[in-house]
Amino acid sequence: MAHVESAHLVELALSNATPTDADAEALRHIDHCTRCRDELDMLTRLVTAARTSEAADLPTTPPEHVWRRIIREVSRERGTPPPPQCPWHDDGPG
């Protein structure tokens, strides 16, 4: 059997569907294929981390001074002034 398609490995990691004959065949292949087994293990860890995350794990909005600095640096790199609609538009040192 050829390697298990990445999309199929994702489905196996999610384990949302009722197992099929194709799943059984894929799992038999995974038993003997380090590459597919490692990819399934990684995807399973990712799914577990996503499913067990809590609000405290989510990113927060950066403070305004961070946005000002980002806009200033990007504008400097492009050689253009910050957009006028930007609420943090300033020309001061950063």
Side-chain angles (χ1 to χ4, degrees):
M1 173 182 188
H3 291 293
V4 179
E5 294 283 331
S6 292
H8 195 168
L9 290 170
V10 169
E11 291 299 324
L12 290 171
L14 289 169
S15 56
N16 290 336
T18 304
T20 65
D21 290 341
D23 293 340
E25 185 178 340
L27 291 171
R28 279 192 297 277
H29 170 81
I30 290 166
D31 281 342
H32 302 287
C33 178
T34 303
R35 175 180 153 192
C36 291
R37 186 172 46 253
D38 288 349
E39 187 173 350
L40 179 59
D41 288 345
M42 184 269 308
L43 290 166
T44 302
R45 286 192 310 273
L46 178 64
V47 167
T48 300
R51 286 181 172 162
T52 59
S53 66
E54 298 177 4
D57 300 322
L58 300 175
T60 59
T61 303
E64 285 188 28
H65 74 276
V66 172
W67 286 117
R68 283 194 300 270
R69 177 106 188 236
I70 291 169
I71 290 168
R72 209 170 17 254
E73 291 298 319
V74 168
S75 296
R76 226 178 258 146
E77 287 175 10
R78 291 183 178 173
T80 60
Q85 71 274 15
C86 175
W88 307 292
H89 180 87
D90 66 10
D91 294 322

